[in-house]
């Protein structure tokens, strides 16, 4: 498993001025270790942070990206077929999510946006659990404390506040884990993200802000909301930042490791701008052809994160037929599991609405539950109590299937 641990000693030995205690430069050049053509680019400042990555782990990163792209495609198809209410595709952002997700330690805590399914996959969340909320079967698909990743946030940018607050708790406890907030470029224009950076800088808490700049805030291009590099916004709060090629999984892994190491050593927050591209729609309710030039999409498709790592693996002689077959088999199996899990997912019972609202008994919730239970009973025409696991037919009485009542046996007919 890849974390931020390897490479630190060698890096600090050769770069004594760049450490957890000293702020890094702000913004700067785009960090890139794999070119769009799949060539390995040497970068002394960052190479040591990925020097431990073996050939086997490179193949594992490739498999991760192929699998989450397949999950994304399957979920999109399920939505088009009416099995999901909505889905936010991540097509094109696989490297940003896998590179950052695989840098984390188990005790780090992630606060994702609604699009960060790749990071959730890295944290061990089951594919079916990724879509429970999008099917309308649950308020959340997984237990945050089991996987150390919060539920996906729909409200733009608010997870940055949650991450900063959690990081303040880490600091108070004296632990060396890190809180990580992921959000898109549009979120940087929200007050929540700016407030989070104020607190993070003021208290120098162990939090990493990862902005996946996919160039579109729904239908607004990034150039409208930011006339400078997004990474440079962080300097106004006194937070060091880095810009990385978000389609380069190795470079994303390297800069995330640096930011995590800095936070663990008491160096405070770091802002990472991962420059990538949203090749699909904002959600399945969006039509990007109405606002996006097809030529732009074609240009970015040439920088596809999976294609470039695939090219590197071929150059190194690592992408054998066996590796390719194993990767595709894994993607196929995950897709089958996701589809089966969605189609066979049981509907929640009506009173499940009141579960997990509070961690302890709450009289206000119990009173609402009782009122709603009696409301449901009014449809059944009886005074019996509705149980939390019981399905209730809400159709008007004239549309319901009549109850099967045994006929009385006729006295004139011996056979009834």
């Amino acid at each position: 498993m890849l974390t931020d641990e390897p490479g630190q000693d060698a890096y600090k030995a050769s770069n004594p001025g760049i450490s957890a205690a000293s702020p890094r430069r702000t913004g700067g050049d785009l960090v890139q270790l794999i070119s769009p053509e799949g060539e390995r680019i040497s970068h002394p400042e960052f190479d040591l942070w990925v020097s431990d990555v073996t050939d086997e782990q490179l193949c594992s990163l490739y498999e991760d990206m192929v699998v989450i792209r397949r999950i994304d495609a399957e979920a999109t198809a399920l939505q088009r077929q009416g099995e999901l209410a909505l889905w936010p595709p991540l097509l094109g952002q696989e490297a940003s999510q896998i590179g950052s997700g695989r840098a984390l330690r188990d005790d780090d805590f992630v606060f994702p946006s609604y699009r960060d399914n790749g990071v959730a996959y890295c944290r061990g969340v089951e594919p079916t659990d990724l879509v429970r909320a999008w099917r309308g079967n649950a308020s959340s698909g997984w237990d945050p404390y089991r996987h150390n990743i919060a539920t996906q946030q729909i409200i733009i940018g608010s997870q940055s506040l949650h991450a900063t607050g959690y990081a303040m708790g880490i600091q108070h406890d004296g632990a060396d884990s890190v809180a990580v907030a992921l959000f898109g470029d549009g979120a940087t224009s929200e007050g929540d993200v700016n407030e989070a950076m104020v607190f993070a800088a003021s208290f120098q808490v162990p939090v990493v802000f990862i902005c996946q700049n996919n160039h579109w805030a729904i239908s607004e291009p990034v150039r409208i909301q930011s006339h400078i590099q997004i990474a440079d916004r962080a300097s106004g709060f006194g937070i060091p930042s880095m810009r990385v090629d978000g389609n380069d999984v190795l470079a994303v892994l390297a800069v995330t490791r640096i930011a995590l190491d800095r936070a663990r050593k008491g160096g405070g927050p770091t802002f990472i701008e991962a420059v990538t591209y949203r090749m699909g729609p904002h959600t399945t309710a969006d039509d990007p052809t109405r606002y996006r030039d097809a030529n732009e999409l074609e240009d970015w498709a040439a920088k596809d994160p999976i294609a470039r790592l695939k090219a590197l693996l071929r150059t190194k002689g690592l992408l054998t037929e066996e590796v390719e077959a194993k990767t595709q088999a894994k993607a196929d199996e995950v897709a089958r599991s996701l589809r089966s899990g969605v189609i066979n997912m049981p509907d929640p019972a009506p009173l499940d609405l009141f579960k997990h609202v509070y961690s302890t008994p709450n009289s206000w919730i119990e009173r609402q539950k009782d009122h709603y239970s009696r409301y449901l009973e009014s449809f059944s025409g009886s005074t019996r109590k509705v149980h939390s696991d019981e399905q209730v037919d809400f159709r008007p009485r004239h549309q319901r299937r009549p109850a099967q009542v045994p006929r009385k046996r006729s006295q004139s007919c011996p056979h009834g």
Side-chain angles (χ1 to χ4, degrees):
M1 176 179 172
L2 296 168
T3 67
D4 67 317
E5 293 295 329
Q8 296 176 18
D9 294 336
Y11 181 75
K12 285 180 284 187
S14 59
N15 296 273
I18 307 293
S19 68
S22 60
R24 291 187 50 77
R25 66 176 184 270
T26 293
D29 298 332
L30 196 71
V31 179
Q32 188 179 84
L33 299 180
I34 305 175
S35 74
E37 294 73 33
E39 298 175 358
R40 180 67 167 87
I41 301 171
S42 179
H43 199 310
E45 187 177 350
F46 297 94
D47 282 347
L48 288 169
W49 284 91
V50 290
S51 61
D52 65 296
V53 178
T54 65
D55 290 346
E56 183 180 0
Q57 288 172 329
L58 269 181
C59 291
S60 179
L61 291 170
Y62 172 70
E63 178 185 286
D64 284 340
M65 291 196 289
V66 170
V67 169
I68 66 165
R69 178 168 290 188
R70 183 62 184 278
I71 290 173
D72 191 60
E74 195 69 26
T76 300
L78 285 164
Q79 193 282 326
R80 298 306 190 199
Q81 294 160 6
E83 298 293 346
L84 300 179
L86 191 72
W87 180 252
L90 59 79
L91 181 64
Q93 298 181 221
E94 294 87 357
S96 296
Q97 298 193 18
I98 295 300
S100 58
R102 288 305 183 197
L104 303 172
R105 274 188 351 205
D106 288 345
D107 60 336
D108 295 329
F109 208 101
V110 183
F111 295 84
S113 76
Y114 48 80
R115 201 183 306 279
D116 298 314
N117 296 296
V119 180
Y121 175 79
C122 290
R123 302 303 277 174
V125 175
E126 291 295 325
T128 303
D129 291 338
L130 294 172
V131 300
R132 289 187 186 278
W134 300 111
R135 187 170 170 82
N137 280 49
S139 299
S140 168
W142 61 83
D143 178 356
Y145 294 105
R146 178 183 174 190
H147 302 287
N148 273 10
I149 179 170
T151 56
Q152 292 173 310
Q153 187 57 246
I154 300 295
I155 301 173
I156 306 298
S158 61
Q159 69 271 24
S160 58
L161 286 171
H162 307 158
T164 299
Y166 192 93
M168 293 174 74
I170 292 173
Q171 188 180 62
H172 177 78
D173 291 342
D176 71 340
S177 53
V178 180
V180 177
L182 296 110
F183 44 82
D185 49 286
T188 61
S189 295
E190 294 287 340
D192 285 359
V193 172
N194 290 272
E195 291 165 14
M197 289 198 284
V198 168
F199 269 83
S202 297
F203 295 97
Q204 288 294 285
V205 296
V207 61
V208 176
F209 300 109
I210 301 178
C211 171
Q212 295 176 79
N213 176 5
N214 65 21
H215 285 78
W216 288 97
I218 307 184
S219 59
E220 288 295 326
V222 67
R223 64 179 179 274
I224 298 297
Q225 63 175 321
S226 183
H227 294 270
I228 59 172
Q229 296 174 354
I230 287 181
D232 287 338
R233 287 183 167 186
S235 64
F237 300 94
I239 297 177
S241 64
M242 291 177 282
R243 296 182 74 240
V244 63
D245 184 339
N247 287 5
D248 178 349
V249 67
L250 208 57
V252 174
L253 178 66
V255 299
T256 306
R257 282 177 165 182
I258 292 172
L260 291 169
D261 178 61
R262 184 171 184 274
R264 297 193 204 288
K265 299 300 192 296
T270 300
F271 187 99
I272 296 172
E273 178 190 354
V275 182
T276 181
Y277 192 77
R278 191 195 79 211
M279 292 200 287
H282 176 72
T283 70
T284 47
D286 173 41
D287 178 9
T289 63
R290 299 179 62 183
Y291 56 80
R292 189 167 66 188
D293 190 334
N295 292 327
E296 179 180 293
L297 177 60
E298 184 179 347
D299 291 343
W300 277 95
K303 305 174 185 178
D304 186 289
I306 295 180
R308 75 169 64 182
L309 182 55
K310 187 174 184 177
L312 176 64
L313 293 177
R314 280 179 172 165
T315 300
K316 293 170 68 69
L318 300 175
L319 196 63
T320 63
E321 291 183 3
E322 181 183 358
V323 169
E324 191 73 287
K326 175 177 174 287
T327 300
Q328 292 304 320
K330 175 68 177 292
D332 290 343
E333 176 55 35
V334 170
R336 279 193 295 269
S337 174
L338 173 61
R339 177 166 288 273
S340 175
V342 169
I343 293 175
N344 297 303
M345 192 180 295
D347 292 334
L351 295 183
D352 285 353
L353 177 68
F354 300 95
K355 289 182 177 180
H356 311 301
V357 178
Y358 287 93
S359 60
T360 57
N362 182 281
S363 60
W364 181 60
I365 288 294
E366 289 301 319
R367 184 165 62 252
Q368 290 188 59
K369 182 178 178 180
D370 178 66
H371 289 173
Y372 189 49
S373 176
R374 287 189 276 119
Y375 169 73
L376 295 178
E377 291 163 13
S378 69
F379 288 92
S380 65
S382 68
T383 58
R384 63 183 177 82
K385 195 74 173 177
V386 175
H387 299 289
S388 61
D389 59 349
E390 182 179 353
Q391 299 296 328
V392 178
D393 191 343
F394 292 100
R395 293 175 297 178
R397 292 184 187 277
H398 70 278
Q399 293 181 4
R400 300 181 199 171
R401 179 177 298 176
Q404 297 298 314
V405 180
R407 294 179 298 164
K408 288 186 179 181
R409 178 166 296 185
S410 171
Q411 294 182 356
S412 62
C413 178
H415 300 291

